[in-house]
Amino acid sequence: MQTKPVIPTNFDFHSHSAVSDGFLPPHEVARRAAANGVDLWALTDHDTLGGLAEAAATAAEVGMGFVNGVEISIEWRNTPIHVVGLGFDAQHPGLSGGLEALRLGRVERAQRMSDALAAIAIPGVLEGAMRYAGNPDLISRAHFARYMVEIGIARDVPGVFQHYLTPGKPGYVDHRWASLEEAIGWINGAGGVAVVAHPGRYKMSGGDMRRFLDDFKDLGGQGVEVTCGSHSPDHIMHFARLVRHYAFHASRGSDFHGPTESYVDLGKLPQLPEDLKPIWRLVR
């Protein structure tokens, strides 16, 4: 389900609702986006399509263009990476079935995380985190972190991640996510476009990033988030250069989760560099 203006001037193709790890229900995210001047918007919840119908209906009510979206958790050469899918058929069985398998894995991972934290005398975290999860099948590290802030383990969510929930820390557990080939295959098979989410956040060398982008392009990926909530001006310039080199299209997204836990609000990002090809051209 997609409705779009002819030429968007403020598109935001990365945001989350309470269906995954955001704070607001899809209809509230849609209304906030429209109020902030977004004219073409995608809801990209983690590994689920459950909020798309509500998001699309509200976008239509407020006269804002809408594109189906999802953010898929993958692993490439032992590095966790996120790939955004845009403009796909939400009823496609290959995509929906692949995402269902990932959600089942999330529940099992959450139990192992809770067990690991209990082993260092932080018990009951899974039960506490579930209070923050609007969708129990999408329980995530963010929900764990919010509960751990509530009980005083750290002052804020980044502090919990830094000390407990990243690789090498006591609450982190390995997990088998989708492969890059699987994720791009699901998205492209459903008629969508695959985009690398917030590439500046990955702890990769310049050489590894180029090797990843080589693989991404070879497998059918078409876009990279150049302007996003966690990118600095230097990140924007760097990934703009890579987008030009690979002839990718450029995406733009706030990665909005909620008013109190986001890098930037919906629709408040800088514009893309003018010479880049915007990704919305591929989902029209």
Side-chain angles (χ1 to χ4, degrees):
M1 185 184 299
Q2 299 175 31
T3 57
K4 299 177 282 293
V6 176
I7 300 177
T9 60
N10 187 3
F11 75 96
D12 194 321
F13 278 1
H14 191 157
S15 62
H16 299 277
S17 77
V19 175
S20 67
D21 62 343
F23 282 90
L24 306 177
H27 70 273
E28 290 189 23
V29 184
R31 293 187 183 282
R32 188 180 187 94
N36 285 355
V38 174
D39 53 5
L40 182 58
W41 170 63
L43 180 68
T44 58
D45 278 322
H46 291 281
D47 304 328
T48 182
L49 311 179
L52 294 183
E54 180 182 328
T58 307
E61 287 177 14
V62 297
M64 177 175 61
F66 179 76
V67 173
N68 284 333
V70 67
E71 186 173 9
I72 302 178
S73 308
I74 74 148
E75 189 171 297
W76 176 83
R77 300 189 186 185
N78 299 316
T79 300
I81 293 174
H82 290 170
V83 172
V84 166
L86 298 168
F88 49 79
D89 173 7
Q91 305 304 315
H92 191 275
L95 176 61
S96 59
L99 296 176
E100 182 179 10
L102 288 182
R103 291 194 297 275
L104 291 173
R106 279 183 176 272
V107 174
E108 186 269 340
R109 179 189 69 153
Q111 183 61 64
R112 290 190 291 127
M113 288 170 56
S114 186
D115 292 344
L117 290 166
I120 59 166
I122 309 177
V125 178
L126 177 57
E127 294 76 11
M130 280 293 188
R131 300 206 318 267
Y132 287 87
N135 181 352
D137 290 340
L138 267 297
I139 184 73
S140 72
R141 289 184 298 164
H143 300 124
F144 273 62
R146 290 166 191 162
Y147 174 69
M148 291 170 73
V149 169
E150 176 190 323
I151 62 175
I153 298 300
R155 282 191 299 179
D156 54 28
V157 165
V160 177
F161 272 84
Q162 180 181 355
H163 295 291
Y164 294 95
L165 300 180
T166 52
K169 302 303 180 181
Y172 182 84
V173 298
D174 288 328
H175 181 71
R176 196 274 178 187
W177 296 113
S179 68
L180 180 63
E181 182 175 10
E182 286 172 328
I184 295 177
W186 297 339
I187 294 164
N188 289 355
V193 177
V195 176
V196 181
H198 42 60
R201 286 176 54 185
Y202 308 125
K203 295 180 180 178
M204 300 167 66
S205 68
D208 280 344
M209 177 57 72
R210 284 180 174 266
R211 282 184 281 275
F212 169 72
L213 292 176
D214 286 339
D215 288 351
F216 180 76
K217 185 167 186 175
D218 288 346
L219 291 167
Q222 294 179 270
V224 172
E225 281 185 2
V226 171
T227 305
C228 67
S230 55
H231 278 187
S232 68
D234 286 345
H235 282 135
I236 292 172
M237 290 190 293
H238 175 66
F239 289 105
R241 287 193 295 268
L242 287 174
V243 162
R244 295 183 190 105
H245 173 77
Y246 284 94
F248 284 136
H249 283 66
S251 194
R252 176 177 184 263
S254 58
D255 197 10
F256 177 81
H257 284 73
T260 62
E261 198 177 289
S262 296
Y263 297 100
V264 66
D265 208 344
L266 290 151
K268 301 301 184 181
L269 288 166
Q271 291 292 337
L272 290 170
E274 289 186 1
D275 66 304
L276 301 185
K277 299 174 293 186
I279 196 73
W280 56 260
R281 291 181 182 174
L282 300 182
V283 296
R284 296 177 60 75

